Amino acid sequence: MHNLLLFIIKNKDHFVFAVTFFLSISLLFNRNDDDMSVIRGLSSDLVSFLSSPMVEIKSLAIVSEENQYLREKNLQLNLQLESILYAADENEKLRELLDFKRATKLNIIPARIINKGIQTNVKSLTIDVGRLNNVAINQAVLTPNGVIGKTIHTGQNSAIVQSVSDNNFRLSVRIMPSGAVGILRWHDTNVCKVYEVQKNVDINIGDRVITSGFSKIYPPKLPVGTVSGVYDERGSYQKVVNVNIQNDFESIQNVFVVISQWCNLLNI
């Protein structure tokens, strides 16, 4: 008996195969038997019960994979949308620059800002044009919205521009429609102050501020900003005018450099 058990254990795979084979043959030949129908029903229920967890796991795996795919597609679509919106904004800005170049009487060349704040003691911008493009020191740099600054150093293919936002920058301006003139200096966060303005001049909030034309560097009548406040200086015959600059220095990417004697161009 012991040897028989050892024989069966040793050849269990063959015995299992034989049992399942004969069971299958029996089910095949007795398929119309009511008892076999009950057995087949129980077998089906057992198989269904045992298979349900695997089906659920497989379904969850498929759902997780689909969610991952949808997240990736959503990210791709968002990136594409941002790229399209950026291209549209860039297109609009370039169209404005082109319109300005066509409309102006100034001899200007386009330039792109390639760096900001390279100078330690001066608020500056670096542009991608230089002496090979006829750029020299003390030439006006502007956008369609107004003055950005002036060139202070030039290389063969680049130039450094002193920005309006530098504390040492000065600009002679005229306030319209009164015609009052003064010296504009940077104050803080796109706000400048105009000093040396006569106290008896009528200036109102919203008045336009433009370049005066008294400088050999800056052409006259370029837009600078709008008046946002007017204050009398105590013990003085002058007043101080706050001006909101029209240019957003943080977002500027493209500018123009005035490369010829603008006085001759404007017949001044």
Side-chain angles (χ1 to χ4, degrees):
M1 186 65 179
H2 180 70
N3 291 333
L4 179 60
L5 290 174
L6 290 177
F7 178 77
I8 293 174
I9 292 173
K10 184 176 181 179
N11 298 277
K12 61 182 182 299
D13 294 338
H14 297 86
F15 280 103
V16 170
F17 173 76
V19 170
T20 54
F21 176 76
F22 286 112
L23 181 60
S24 299
I25 294 297
S26 176
L27 292 173
L28 179 65
F29 284 101
N30 296 280
R31 60 182 183 274
N32 295 325
D33 192 352
D34 293 338
D35 293 336
M36 289 297 104
S37 297
V38 173
I39 293 174
R40 282 195 293 270
L42 293 175
S43 300
S44 176
D45 292 340
L46 179 61
V47 171
S48 176
F49 176 76
L50 295 176
S51 302
S52 293
M54 296 302 298
V55 172
E56 292 293 334
I57 293 173
K58 186 176 181 180
S59 177
L60 290 174
I62 293 174
V63 170
S64 177
E65 185 177 350
E66 289 179 347
N67 285 339
Q68 179 65 24
Y69 173 76
L70 291 174
R71 285 195 293 268
E72 292 176 359
K73 293 297 293 183
N74 187 47
L75 177 61
Q76 292 176 2
L77 291 173
N78 283 335
L79 292 176
Q80 291 177 2
L81 178 61
E82 288 297 327
S83 178
I84 292 172
L85 292 176
Y86 178 83
D89 291 341
E90 188 75 5
N91 221 17
E92 184 64 26
K93 291 178 182 178
L94 292 176
R95 188 180 294 109
E96 291 176 359
L97 294 172
L98 182 60
D99 292 341
F100 175 76
K101 184 173 174 61
R102 289 171 176 171
T104 185
K105 297 180 180 179
L106 299 170
N107 188 3
I108 57 178
I109 60 170
R112 188 172 183 85
I113 296 175
I114 57 177
N115 201 348
K116 295 182 180 181
I118 194 172
Q119 296 287 316
T120 57
N121 58 341
V122 177
K123 289 287 185 67
S124 62
L125 311 168
T126 304
I127 55 178
D128 62 351
V129 293
R131 289 195 295 269
L132 294 179
N133 307 100
N134 297 321
V135 175
I137 295 175
N138 285 334
Q139 289 180 331
V141 181
L142 48 91
T143 72
N145 292 326
V147 175
I148 290 299
K150 66 177 182 180
T151 55
I152 55 175
H153 298 290
T154 57
Q156 292 293 324
N157 298 295
S158 63
I160 297 177
V161 178
Q162 182 187 19
S163 170
V164 172
S165 60
D166 180 55
N167 289 328
N168 296 315
F169 185 89
R170 303 290 185 272
L171 178 64
S172 177
V173 296
R174 187 182 300 276
I175 303 172
M176 302 301 292
S178 67
V181 295
I183 304 299
L184 180 138
R185 297 172 54 184
W186 181 259
H187 178 61
D188 185 30
T189 316
N190 284 15
V191 175
C192 294
K193 290 182 179 292
V194 180
Y195 297 92
E196 302 180 17
V197 179
Q198 294 298 315
K199 184 176 290 187
N200 59 351
V201 178
D202 184 22
I203 299 175
N204 300 298
I205 294 176
D207 286 353
R208 293 182 301 111
V209 180
I210 59 177
T211 51
S212 66
F214 292 160
S215 169
K216 293 182 179 180
I217 299 175
Y218 303 100
K221 301 179 182 179
L222 289 177
V224 176
T226 56
V227 174
S228 59
V230 183
Y231 308 94
D232 290 335
E233 286 188 321
R234 291 184 178 180
S236 172
Y237 293 101
Q238 297 177 343
K239 62 176 64 177
V240 178
V241 179
N242 282 4
V243 176
N244 285 339
I245 297 296
Q246 297 190 36
N247 283 302
D248 183 359
F249 290 91
E250 295 299 325
S251 62
I252 294 174
Q253 297 180 356
N254 299 281
V255 296
F256 291 102
V257 182
V258 181
I259 60 171
S260 63
Q261 187 63 30
W262 54 265
C263 293
N264 295 333
L265 291 171
L266 298 177
N267 296 320
I268 296 177

